[in-house]
């Protein structure tokens, strides 16, 4: 396949580096044609710490399911190389991670290149005096070692690369909120210890062929704390400006067509749910950046652009990090006052689109004699300016009022829910004695189990409302207060309609399964007895007249009476978690 002219120019114009041999990656020594195996990450982590003992530490922050050490480098010339010192000195912490999808490995090689250049004083001069940089070269370490030449068929280079998912076939960038994997739990412990102000997640895209070489998405910009959105927007604007000045064609949205394989359908921006990195950290009142280099650019080009992105982030945080850190603290304080206020759980782009210029290639769409479908074929030798629709007016979609006091988790579920809350650093306490009072209970009017597994779980979708009831709960019930900095994270976990809630990921499925039944012949007898009640008889006959599906369904007709009988399970489709408006 012909190499795009843009890629060739960048390769020709890229500066030649002369690295200290022990700190040059396999990728750099190969001209960024190859990438090294994971043992190189382990060796480089130690080598950087050895060569720069006052500025770098090498840590193992977890162990993968296949027993590999998960490595992180801590870099700062401020002398603050521990979480306590970073907090004491008021230094912003930046977490840069590569290889969450280990086939998209640009971040590993770009990060090592950037780290060496900063430490050598060749770039971002003085930036590490004003921040602490945490660098995780490879998050998905087991997937990294599932090495192969065709692991990314829609990507140019490197020669061989790792695999998208973990050894247990989990996609780590779907695991932030549910935190099922040992890798994610280790990462979230790291996050708890260091509390990074900015997290940068380095990827390469899938998708169509076009001239744009990178997208930069940041939150909070459209969602999260209003004050922190200004910091997120400033970071995104500055990084995009820096990249454009260096010859890139950056985008502020992910360039995936609304209709697959159809360029005329254009693009739609969004706020990612918290299973994704850039949808998760806004719930912690922190900033996240999703970086996606274009997979069809040559690997040397992608590494160079990723390196430029990392440098820009470091420079921006050096210049503005203390102010942004103050904004994050203000966001923490504001989030602790969320009780009773409306909070969006999901966002969506408004229907109206605007037309934008997009740097694509000439293409044809013809019917394939192989698949029988319309197939798009791009001509990379012929750049073409597309005018396409873009929906980027993002607004709240599902909005729920936060509870006045918090949530009650029943004793039977308290242990495992507490483990999840602890993983995320959410505050909670156990009730030392029984409590009774007014609560809000959520009963599903409809519930639907996923027809196929997602990330080893059966997802659940429900419809329903919170309704006031009087209830008592025993000692050992878990109380999760809304008055805490992570209030948005609490709602994302415990609101049943939230897209990545514990309920949505199937953790409460048993509450929505029927486990007791009334035999039909018993229900028939019960029905005849209940029909003596004029109100019941009138309602039954109304349903027969007005609802043909009900009238034609013998089981539904019998269930009409069963639901009104004392034997009906009052806990069926009752979400086990309750809301309360006064502290217990």
């Amino acid at each position: 396949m012909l190499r795009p002219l843009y890629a060739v120019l960048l390769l020709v114009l890229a500066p030649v580096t002369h690295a200290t041999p022990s700190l040059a990656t396999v990728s750099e020594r190969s001209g960024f044609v190859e990438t090294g195996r994971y043992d190189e990450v382990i060796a480089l982590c130690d080598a950087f710490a050895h060569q720069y003992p006052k500025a770098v530490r090498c840590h193992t922050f977890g162990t993968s399911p296949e027993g590999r050490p998960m490595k992180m480098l801590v870099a700062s010339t401020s002398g603050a190389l521990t979480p306590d010192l970073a907090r004491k000195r008021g230094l912003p912490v930046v977490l840069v991670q590569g290889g969450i999808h280990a086939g998209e490995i640009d971040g590993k090689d770009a990060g090592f290149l950037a780290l060496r250049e900063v430490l050598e004083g060749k770039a971002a001069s003085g930036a590490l005096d004003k921040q602490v940089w945490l660098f995780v070269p490879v998050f998905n370490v087991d997937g990294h070692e599932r090495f192969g030449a065709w692991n990314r068929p829609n990507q140019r280079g490197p020669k061989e690369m790792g695999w998208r998912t973990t050894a247990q076939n989990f996609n780590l960038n779907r695991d932030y909120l549910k935190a099922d994997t040992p890798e994610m739990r280790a990462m979230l412990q790291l996050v708890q210890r260091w509390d990074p102000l900015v997290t940068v997640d380095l990827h390469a895209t899938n998708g169509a062929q076009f001239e744009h070489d990178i997208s930069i998405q940041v939150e909070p910009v459209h969602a999260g704390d209003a004050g922190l959105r200004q910091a997120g927007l400033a970071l995104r604007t500055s990084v995009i400006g820096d990249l454009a000045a260096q010859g890139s064609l950056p985008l502020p949205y992910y360039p995936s067509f609304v209709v697959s394989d159809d360029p005329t359908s254009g693009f739609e921006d969004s706020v990612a749910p918290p299973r994704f990195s850039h949808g998760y950290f806004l719930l912690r009142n922190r900033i996240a950046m999703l970086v996606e280099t274009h997979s069809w650019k040559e690997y040397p080009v992608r590494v160079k652009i990723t390196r430029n992105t990392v440098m820009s982030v470091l420079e921006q945080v050096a210049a503005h990090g203390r102010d942004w850190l103050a904004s994050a603290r203000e966001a923490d304080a504001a989030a602790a006052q969320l009780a009773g206020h409306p909070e969006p759980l999901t966002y969506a782009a408004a229907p109206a689109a605007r037309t934008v210029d997009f740097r694509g290639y000439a293409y044809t769409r013809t019917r394939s004699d192989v698949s029988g479908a319309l197939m798009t074929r791009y001509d990379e030798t012929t750049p073409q300016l597309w005018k396409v629709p873009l929906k980027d007016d993002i607004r709240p979609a599902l909005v729920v009022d936060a509870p006045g006091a918090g949530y009650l988790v029943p004793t039977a579920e308290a242990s495992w829910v507490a483990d999840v809350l602890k993983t995320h650093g959410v505050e909670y306490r156990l009730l030392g004695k029984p409590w009774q009072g007014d609560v809000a209970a959520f009963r599903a009017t409809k519930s639907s189990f996923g027809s196929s597994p997602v990330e080893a779980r059966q997802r659940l979708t429900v419809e329903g409302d919170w309704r006031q009831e009087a209830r008592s709960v025993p000692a050992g019930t878990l109380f999760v207060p809304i008055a805490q900095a992570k209030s948005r994270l609490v709602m994302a976990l415990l609101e049943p309609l939230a897209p990545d809630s514990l309920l949505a990921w199937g953790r409460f499925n048993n509450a929505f399964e029927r486990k007791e039944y009334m035999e039909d012949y018993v229900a028939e007898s019960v029905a005849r007895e209940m029909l003596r009640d004029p109100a019941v008889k009138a309602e039954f006959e109304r349903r027969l007249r007005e609802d043909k599906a009900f009238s034609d369904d013998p089981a539904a007709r019998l269930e009409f009476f069963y639901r009104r009988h004392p034997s009906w399970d009052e806990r069926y489709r009752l979400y086990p978690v309750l809301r309360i408006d006064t502290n217990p």
Side-chain angles (χ1 to χ4, degrees):
M1 191 173 292
L2 289 173
R3 177 177 294 179
L5 178 60
Y6 177 65
V8 175
L9 287 174
L10 269 184
L11 287 174
V12 171
L13 297 175
V16 177
T17 59
H18 300 283
T20 304
S22 60
L23 301 183
T25 60
V26 167
S27 185
E28 188 174 2
R29 295 197 301 270
S30 73
F32 299 103
V33 173
E34 302 177 2
T35 193
R37 302 296 292 265
Y38 192 65
D39 56 0
E40 178 190 40
V41 171
I42 298 171
L44 281 173
C45 190
D46 290 333
F48 271 96
H50 177 75
Q51 187 145 330
Y52 295 97
K54 294 182 179 181
V56 179
R57 296 285 184 274
C58 174
H59 295 290
T60 298
F61 69 93
T63 303
S64 74
E66 291 186 335
R68 294 183 177 89
M70 300 174 70
K71 289 295 187 178
M72 172 185 71
L73 294 91
V74 181
S76 181
T77 49
S78 69
L81 293 170
T82 67
D84 289 342
L85 280 175
R87 277 189 287 272
K88 183 178 180 180
R89 298 185 186 182
L91 289 173
V93 176
V94 175
L95 169 60
V96 177
Q97 69 181 30
I100 190 171
H101 295 152
E104 306 164 26
I105 204 59
D106 314 17
K108 176 191 69 174
D109 293 320
F112 276 126
L113 175 61
L115 178 60
R116 194 191 72 241
E117 291 182 341
V118 172
L119 291 170
E120 291 175 348
K122 295 179 179 178
S125 178
L128 291 185
D129 294 341
K130 301 176 181 179
Q131 65 193 297
V132 180
W133 176 14
L134 312 180
F135 175 42
V136 176
V138 181
F139 186 178
N140 176 15
V141 298
D142 290 341
H144 187 279
E145 291 307 279
R146 188 176 168 183
F147 227 56
W150 287 100
N151 287 349
R152 293 276 295 163
N154 310 306
Q155 178 176 294
R156 287 188 171 121
K159 184 177 179 181
E160 294 180 292
M161 71 290 288
W163 189 254
R164 181 179 184 83
T165 56
T166 70
Q168 297 172 319
N169 206 34
F170 282 103
N171 184 339
L172 289 178
N173 204 28
R174 304 296 183 272
D175 197 37
Y176 272 88
L177 197 62
K178 62 186 178 66
D180 282 337
T181 62
E183 294 98 329
M184 185 56 71
R185 290 192 291 271
M187 176 60 75
L188 292 175
Q189 289 172 11
L190 182 160
V191 168
Q192 293 296 345
R193 289 193 300 272
W194 284 93
D195 189 20
L197 170 66
V198 177
T199 296
V200 182
D201 189 11
L202 302 172
H203 291 250
T205 65
N206 292 307
Q209 293 174 305
F210 41 73
E211 288 194 290
H212 293 279
D213 50 19
I214 190 168
S215 70
I216 303 291
Q217 291 176 274
V218 175
E219 292 295 344
V221 167
H222 305 292
D225 178 80
L228 200 56
R229 292 185 194 190
Q230 297 177 24
L233 180 59
L235 176 61
R236 188 186 75 176
T237 301
S238 296
V239 171
I240 285 177
D242 287 346
L243 291 171
Q246 293 166 318
S248 282
L249 296 172
L251 295 167
Y253 54 87
Y254 187 84
S256 179
F257 297 137
V258 171
V259 177
S260 180
D261 200 41
D262 182 1
T264 63
S265 66
F267 307 100
E268 183 174 318
D269 203 359
S270 64
V271 174
R275 72 190 68 171
F276 297 93
S277 61
H278 62 306
Y280 173 76
F281 283 95
L282 68 92
L283 302 178
R284 303 180 70 98
N285 308 312
R286 299 298 181 263
I287 302 169
M289 175 184 288
L290 177 69
V291 177
E292 295 271 3
T293 57
H294 188 212
S295 62
W296 288 105
K297 304 306 178 192
E298 300 280 359
Y299 192 56
V301 176
R302 301 204 315 271
V303 171
K304 181 72 174 177
I305 298 169
T306 304
R307 172 265 181 206
N308 292 346
T309 304
V310 172
M311 289 298 189
S312 178
V313 170
L314 295 176
E315 290 172 341
Q316 296 305 321
V317 172
H320 308 289
R322 285 187 183 271
D323 291 340
W324 295 345
L325 192 56
S327 296
R329 301 300 181 214
E330 291 171 2
D332 287 345
Q337 305 298 317
L338 194 63
H341 290 87
E343 177 62 23
L345 299 180
T346 63
Y347 293 79
R354 62 189 179 95
T355 300
V356 296
D357 292 339
F358 191 87
R359 297 274 294 270
Y361 296 115
Y363 66 91
T364 59
R365 279 176 61 76
T366 56
R367 190 153 312 270
S368 167
D369 58 359
V370 176
S371 67
L374 277 176
M375 196 63 57
T376 304
R377 296 172 179 83
Y378 299 94
D379 178 4
E380 291 182 279
T381 66
T382 309
Q384 186 179 78
L385 188 66
W386 301 343
K387 291 187 178 295
V388 295
L390 171 65
K391 296 179 181 179
D392 62 351
D393 179 9
I394 298 175
R395 304 175 182 180
L398 174 63
V399 180
V400 174
D401 288 345
Y407 299 86
L408 293 174
V409 180
T411 309
E413 314 286 354
S415 177
W416 71 263
V417 172
D419 286 342
V420 174
L421 299 177
K422 193 181 304 180
T423 296
H424 293 285
V426 170
E427 300 169 19
Y428 64 88
R429 63 180 171 88
L430 293 175
L431 300 188
K433 57 183 180 181
W435 178 87
Q436 63 180 13
D438 291 333
V439 304
F442 182 95
R443 291 181 181 275
T445 55
K446 293 182 180 179
S447 60
S448 176
F449 296 105
S451 59
S452 59
V454 180
E455 293 293 300
R457 292 199 175 278
Q458 183 183 31
R459 283 180 58 85
L460 174 65
T461 303
V462 297
E463 297 178 19
D465 298 294
W466 293 101
R467 301 282 179 89
Q468 291 298 123
E469 298 182 4
R471 285 194 174 259
S472 60
V473 297
T477 296
L478 201 69
F479 172 58
V480 188
I482 199 68
Q484 57 177 298
K486 297 184 179 70
S487 57
R488 289 186 177 87
L489 189 50
V490 169
M491 293 185 70
L493 286 165
L494 297 180
E495 279 296 327
L497 300 180
D500 285 328
S501 67
L502 297 176
L503 179 147
W505 279 107
R507 299 298 296 270
F508 291 105
N509 278 3
N510 252 351
F512 300 86
E513 296 177 21
R514 287 274 298 276
K515 299 298 176 87
E516 188 57 87
Y517 299 87
M518 180 183 284
E519 296 289 353
D520 286 355
Y521 69 90
V522 176
E524 184 84 17
S525 177
V526 165
R528 295 186 183 284
E529 185 68 25
M530 294 178 72
L531 283 169
R532 296 181 181 181
D533 184 327
V536 173
K537 186 173 188 294
E539 174 63 15
F540 181 63
E541 290 175 347
R542 184 189 68 79
R543 289 285 303 277
L544 290 177
R545 287 193 309 271
E546 298 177 3
D547 187 342
K548 188 175 187 307
F550 173 80
S551 178
D552 293 345
D553 187 344
R557 290 169 65 155
L558 290 178
E559 189 174 290
F560 173 90
F561 300 98
Y562 183 19
R563 284 179 176 270
R564 289 160 173 77
H565 193 267
S567 64
W568 178 257
D569 180 9
E570 73 93 15
R571 295 187 183 181
Y572 174 54
R573 286 182 173 174
L574 173 65
Y575 177 43
V577 177
L578 305 172
R579 288 167 48 124
I580 53 175
D581 289 331
T582 57
N583 287 328

